[in-house]
Structure formats: structure tokens, C-alpha cells
């Protein structure tokens, strides 16, 4: 009985591309009393693994919190797995504004103490006494009321790329930090103001609204379904979006566009930009905003120091990380002296630029390609990549595609190559091939030949 992933992210991505099927990105949560979270977790894994459902899910005695990617053709079957539990019958599923077949590449279900780390003692107040849910139209209307205070209960790296106009955006890295800060800041407005709150999908506000009612706030409201559901409703009903910019999401997309407004800057050069990236240095992995130009110049790194480290031999990089909590163990969220144009706390409501129209996010599955091999080495000084051909043949003039989680998707026409150390025009299975590249590659990258 399989209860854990057996495929790597790269292998899963390859299978998804080969399948060529549309996938839906969605999220949901439910507070409920779960007697045996471990059994609940295992049952879900078996059911969802059979449907090729992927995602990051937390379960606890208090309920479930899930962000997932599900094949569109399995959507109704997936819903049936939820309906099998009374507390998830009729559950609202927040379907993403933008879909990406690679939003999640593993099915990870973890048992936690809580489904959201809020730092609260639930025994000290009634967690079911929540604020009034507002749909998009009602939310827009209450924002026009001069007696309304709207609070963003997300973190600084989320609100920086998009937020509701005139919202208080706490300069915090975790949800638990924002609760006492807002409570103290609004102490004198417990009775005379409308406390209106929002978050990504609604789960943080569900607990926060109960907490603030317990703290004595009389008029507490929350955006039903969060920003994700708001975006869906304003489009369906033709409403004005009071939200500007991007909605940060915790999957491989790192964001979905709500409006064309860009309200943040590249943290390295200051150019209007709202694309997040993780530093390519495995000893850093800092989350920050980086424009395409800086991405190329800095090779996905947040600083000159990290760039220098990525050029060291792998064994030297490992030595530098020894004994430290780094890499995937730490998710650093965008605060560094190296980031000269980082903003948090009070943010602008004025667009700095207009985002270009997006390309078809499923375009990658429309490109007919065949896997040739994988990267074996990258010679940084010479900017040369080494690949081993494992399938078919490669020849001069072929259009190739190099794909990797950090490298992205890069196309080029092969004009010159060396086969087993000698300049050649054709490479066969088993040959070692080297050629110059205008970008850095990594060992997880795959080499494809694009078919006409």
C-alpha cells in the first residue's frame, strides 16, 4: 500500500507533460474534530494518489488545510472523495485564477498540531464565534464606509505584490505575529469601527475573526473565500476590483494576477516587477522579487556572494552549508540587506507599471518534444553545458529545449557542439555532448529536441 511519493518532482513534471491533460489548481479548508489525524491522512493519500491529485495538505485534530493540483477530468471524482466525509459535504473549493500544470509536483500530506500556525490557545475562546462573511459585492461596499478599517492578515512578502487599497499591511513574516500587533494598534476602535479582514483563501481570517471578537471588537467582518474567491466573483459579476496587483500563492507559481497593476519593484534594481524567485544558492533560498534582467545577470541569485558560491564546486558548497539550517529546511521570506528596493509595512496603492498580457500558461504542453538526456555538468567560467545523450540523436541545426525547476524553459538552435571532446555534427546514444549556453544550467535539467 503506497502512502508516500515514489517519484521525484522532475519525474512527475515529465509525466504531466507527456499526459498533456489540463490540471486545475485549487485550495480548501475545513475546521472539524478529527479523532485520528494519522488514519485520516493515510486514507486521503490512498484516495488522492489514485486520482493523480498532487499538493500540500496539512491535517490535524482541528481539521484540514489543502492546496492542490487535480487533473480536470478527475475533478468530480476528487470532489466525491471529500463528500465521503460529513464535514466536507458541500465544501467550497477555491479554484485558482490562473492554472499551471506544474503548480504542485508531489502529493504531500502532513499531520500537524494545527492546520495554521496561529500561536493561539483555542481553549481560551470560542473559535466558532467568527466574523460576518462578506461576498465580493458586500466587501466592496463596506470598504467605501469611512468607519471601516481593512486589515491584510497575510505576510509582508504576500502583500507587497498585491493588496486591497487602503489596507493595513502588517510588516510580519508569520500570521501569528500579526494578531497582537493589530490588536494593540486598534485598541481604541473596538466599538466605533468596522474591522474588515482578508487573506488568501479565508482560513487565516476564520480564526482571526473569532480571536478579535473575543478581544472585544464589536463589528468584525471577513472576506468569504479570501482573495481567490473575490477574484472569481468580481469577474463573474462584472464588479470593480478593489484589490490591486498579484495574489501570492504557496505553490510553484508563486503568484496569480488579479489586476494588470504592478505595485512592487525588483528588489535588486528597482524596476517595476512582481515576480518572486528563490535564490539559486542552496545555502540561501531567499524568497525575493527579481526582474528578468537581474535574473539573467545574477543567475537567479539574491546577492553577489550567493552568485559566487553557486560557481564553486559542489563539494565546496556543501562544506559551507555543513552544520547550518539552510536550503529547503529554511524558507527565508525576503528580508536581506542585499535587497535595496524591498518594501514592507506601508505599501503604495498606485500602480508603478502595467503587466504585459500573459502567454498561454499551458503552451509548454503544446510543444512537441522528445527527451534526449540530462545535464551532467556546467562549466561556469566557459559557460559550457555537458549532457549525455540517452535517447535518439542530436545534430547541428536542431532546435533544443532545456528545462529545469530553477532554469525554467529555454529554447535555442544548436549551432556548434563537441561530441566526446571533438567538434562534431551529430551525437548518438551514449555520447557526451558539450556546447556553450547563454544561461546557467543545473544537474536536474533535462535536454529535449523540439519536433516540427
Amino acid at each position: 500500500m503506497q502512502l508516500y511519493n515514489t517519484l521525484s518532482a522532475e519525474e512527475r513534471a515529465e509525466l504531466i507533460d507527456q499526459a498533456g491533460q489540463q490540471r486545475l489548481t485549487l485550495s480548501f479548508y475545513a475546521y472539524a474534530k478529527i479523532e485520528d489525524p494519522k488514519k485520516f491522512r493515510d486514507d486521503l493519500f490512498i484516495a488522492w494518489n489514485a486520482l493523480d491529485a498532487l499538493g500540500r495538505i496539512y491535517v490535524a485534530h482541528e481539521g484540514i488545510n489543502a492546496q492542490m493540483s487535480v487533473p480536470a477530468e478527475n475533478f468530480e471524482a476528487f470532489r466525491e472523495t471529500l463528500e465521503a466525509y460529513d464535514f466536507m459535504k458541500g465544501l467550497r473549493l477555491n479554484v485558482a485564477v490562473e492554472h499551471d500544470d506544474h503548480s504542485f509536483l508531489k502529493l504531500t500530506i502532513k499531520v500537524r498540531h494545527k492546520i495554521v500556525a496561529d500561536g493561539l490557545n483555542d481553549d481560551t475562546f470560542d473559535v466558532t464565534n467568527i466574523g460576518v462573511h462578506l461576498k465580493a459585492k458586500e466587501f466592496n461596499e463596506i470598504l467605501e464606509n469611512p468607519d471601516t478599517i481593512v486589515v491584510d492578515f497575510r505576510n509582508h512578502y504576500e502583500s507587497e505584490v498585491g493588496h486591497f487599497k487602503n489596507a493595513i499591511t502588517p510588516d510580519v513574516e508569520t500570521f501569528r505575529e500579526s494578531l497582537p500587533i493589530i490588536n494593540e494598534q486598534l485598541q481604541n476602535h473596538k466599538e466605533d469601527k468596522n474591522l474588515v479582514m482578508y487573506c488568501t483563501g479565508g482560513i487565516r481570517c476564520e480564526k482571526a475573526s473569532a480571536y478579535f471578537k473575543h478581544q472585544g471588537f464589536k463589528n468584525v467582518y471577513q472576506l468569504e473565500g479570501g482573495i481567490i474567491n473575490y477574484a472569481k466573483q468580481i469577474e463573474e459579476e462584472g464588479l470593480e476590483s478593489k484589490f490591486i496587483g498579484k495574489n501570492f500563492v504557496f505553490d510553484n507559481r508563486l503568484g496569480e494576477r488579479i489586476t494588470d497593476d504592478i505595485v512592487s519593484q525588483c528588489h535588486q534594481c528597482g524596476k517595476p516587477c512582481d515576480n518572486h524567485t528563490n535564490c539559486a544558492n542552496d545555502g540561501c533560498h531567499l524568497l525575493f522579487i527579481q526582474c528578468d534582467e537581474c535574473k539573467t545577470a545574477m543567475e537567479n541569485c539574491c546577492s553577489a556572494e550567493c552568485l559566487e558560491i553557486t560557481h564553486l564546486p559542489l563539494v565546496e558548497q556543501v562544506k559551507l552549508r555543513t552544520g547550518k539550517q539552510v536550503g529547503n529546511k529554511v524558507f527565508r521570506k525576503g528580508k536581506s540587506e542585499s535587497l535595496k528596493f524591498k518594501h514592507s509595512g506601508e505599501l503604495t496603492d498606485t500602480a508603478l507599471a502595467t503587466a504585459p498580457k500573459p502567454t498561454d500558461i499551458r503552451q509548454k504542453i503544446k510543444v512537441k518534444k522528445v527527451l534526449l538526456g540530462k545535464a551532467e555538468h556546467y562549466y561556469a567560467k566557459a559557460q559550457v553545458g555537458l549532457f549525455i545523450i540517452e535517447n535518439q540523436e542530436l545534430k547541428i541545426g536542431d532546435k533544443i529545449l532545456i528545462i529545469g525547476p530553477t532554469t525554467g524553459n529555454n529554447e535555442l538552435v544548436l549551432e556548434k557542439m563537441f561530441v566526446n571532446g571533438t567538434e562534431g555534427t551529430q551525437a548518438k546514444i551514449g555520447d557526451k555532448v558539450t556546447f556553450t549556453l547563454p544561461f546557467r544550467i543545473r544537474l536536474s535539467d533535462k535536454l529535449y529536441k523540439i519536433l516540427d
Side-chain angles (χ1 to χ4, degrees):
M1 184 182 299
Q2 183 182 338
L3 294 175
Y4 298 93
N5 287 283
T6 57
L7 296 175
S8 68
E10 292 78 15
E11 290 170 328
R12 179 71 70 175
E14 176 63 20
L15 289 177
I16 289 174
D17 284 347
Q18 290 176 358
Q21 298 173 333
Q22 181 186 8
R23 299 182 69 89
L24 303 177
T25 303
L26 55 90
S27 62
F28 63 91
Y29 69 90
Y31 281 100
K33 187 176 182 181
I34 298 176
E35 295 291 344
D36 189 346
K38 176 62 168 60
K39 183 180 184 305
F40 179 58
R41 178 261 174 216
D42 291 347
D43 290 344
L44 290 179
F45 192 98
I46 293 170
W48 291 346
N49 189 53
L51 296 175
D52 194 26
L54 308 173
R56 184 186 303 111
I57 302 94
Y58 299 131
V59 298
H61 284 291
E62 67 174 1
I64 181 172
N65 179 18
Q67 294 86 40
M68 303 190 67
S69 168
V70 179
E73 65 179 14
N74 292 342
F75 182 72
E76 290 305 321
F78 173 78
R79 187 188 292 276
E80 289 177 6
T81 67
L82 305 180
E83 299 281 344
Y85 299 90
D86 288 340
F87 72 90
M88 288 196 286
K89 287 184 177 178
L91 185 68
R92 181 187 63 247
L93 300 179
N94 287 327
V95 179
V97 177
E98 298 175 349
H99 298 287
D100 185 338
D101 295 335
H102 291 184
S103 58
F104 290 98
L105 296 175
K106 289 187 177 183
L107 176 59
T108 304
I109 310 179
K110 295 184 178 180
V111 176
R112 291 284 180 86
H113 175 62
K114 285 192 171 187
I115 55 177
V116 174
D118 51 39
L120 299 175
N121 182 353
D122 294 355
D123 294 332
T124 61
F125 66 102
D126 183 359
V127 296
T128 66
N129 185 23
I130 60 176
V132 177
H133 282 112
L134 299 175
K135 297 186 182 300
K137 186 174 185 296
E138 300 166 322
F139 194 82
N140 279 0
E141 291 172 351
I142 203 169
L143 293 185
E144 297 297 326
N145 189 327
D147 290 326
T148 290
I149 297 175
V150 59
V151 180
D152 190 327
F153 275 97
R154 301 173 304 152
N155 307 321
H156 67 83
Y157 55 92
E158 300 175 79
S159 57
E160 184 178 9
V161 295
H163 49 268
F164 279 96
K165 296 177 181 179
N166 300 315
I168 295 175
T169 52
D171 186 13
V172 297
E173 290 201 5
T174 62
F175 171 50
R176 69 173 67 193
E177 292 177 64
S178 62
L179 296 173
I181 290 175
I182 295 302
N183 188 35
E184 177 64 27
Q185 190 173 338
L186 303 182
Q187 273 297 306
N188 297 326
H189 299 292
K190 290 187 175 181
E191 297 190 11
D192 65 332
K193 298 291 184 182
N194 299 318
L195 175 56
V196 180
M197 55 187 67
Y198 69 91
C199 56
T200 305
I203 187 170
R204 283 177 270 192
C205 293
E206 202 80 1
K207 186 66 70 72
S209 65
Y211 169 77
F212 282 101
K213 290 187 73 173
H214 174 70
Q215 291 295 321
F217 287 83
K218 302 300 181 184
N219 307 304
V220 180
Y221 302 86
Q222 62 190 97
L223 178 59
E224 183 180 39
I227 300 165
I228 297 174
N229 200 43
Y230 176 86
K232 180 181 178 182
Q233 289 181 4
I234 61 171
E235 182 178 0
E236 291 176 346
E237 300 174 28
L239 304 173
E240 175 192 359
S241 177
K242 300 290 187 179
F243 185 96
I244 54 174
K246 249 184 182 181
N247 177 33
F248 183 93
V249 292
F250 293 88
D251 58 57
N252 292 338
R253 296 172 298 154
L254 292 179
E256 53 185 13
R257 186 158 298 286
I258 306 301
T259 71
D260 292 334
D261 304 297
I262 296 178
V263 296
S264 53
Q265 298 171 278
C266 171
H267 287 164
Q268 293 175 320
C269 72
K271 174 184 176 180
C273 178
D274 53 12
N275 295 326
H276 277 99
T277 189
N278 281 108
C279 181
N281 175 15
D282 287 335
C284 177
H285 280 183
L286 179 74
L287 178 72
F288 67 107
I289 298 173
Q290 188 177 47
C291 68
D292 290 341
E293 289 80 2
C294 289
K295 193 181 190 72
T296 299
M298 297 297 293
E299 299 179 17
N300 285 58
C301 292
C302 70
S303 65
E305 179 184 4
C306 281
L307 178 59
E308 183 178 347
I309 290 174
T310 61
H311 287 182
L312 294 174
L314 182 59
V315 66
E316 294 296 326
Q317 295 185 45
V318 173
K319 283 182 180 179
L320 291 174
R321 301 198 297 266
T322 301
K324 299 179 181 178
Q325 262 209 340
V326 293
N328 292 326
K329 296 179 182 178
V330 173
F331 187 52
R332 297 175 60 209
K333 304 177 181 71
K335 293 226 176 156
S336 166
E337 293 181 359
S338 299
L339 306 179
K340 299 178 181 179
F341 295 92
K342 164 70 184 174
H343 298 290
S344 56
E346 295 186 10
L347 303 173
T348 181
D349 288 342
T350 303
L352 304 178
T354 301
K357 290 187 177 181
T359 56
D360 184 354
I361 60 173
R362 292 201 314 257
Q363 187 175 8
K364 55 181 173 291
I365 68 173
K366 297 178 181 177
V367 176
K368 292 184 178 180
K369 61 186 186 296
V370 60
L371 178 65
L372 295 179
K374 60 183 179 180
E376 290 294 320
H377 192 68
Y378 179 71
Y379 302 93
K381 290 185 178 180
Q383 294 185 309
V384 169
L386 167 63
F387 298 84
I388 293 181
I389 304 301
E390 301 175 352
N391 182 46
Q392 295 204 3
E393 296 180 350
L394 176 66
K395 63 180 183 296
I396 296 298
D398 283 344
K399 182 181 287 188
I400 59 175
L401 175 65
I402 298 175
I403 298 178
T406 302
T407 306
N409 291 21
N410 293 276
E411 291 185 18
L412 64 140
V413 176
L414 188 61
E415 298 178 348
K416 182 179 180 180
M417 68 175 172
F418 286 80
V419 180
N420 299 323
T422 304
E423 186 172 350
T425 59
Q426 187 174 12
K428 300 179 180 180
I429 295 175
D431 287 341
K432 292 184 177 181
V433 177
T434 56
F435 47 86
T436 57
L437 292 168
F439 49 86
R440 178 182 176 82
I441 61 170
R442 288 152 183 89
L443 295 185
S444 59
D445 292 355
K446 302 290 180 64
L447 173 66
Y448 296 86
K449 178 164 63 176
I450 297 177
L451 306 176
D452 295 329

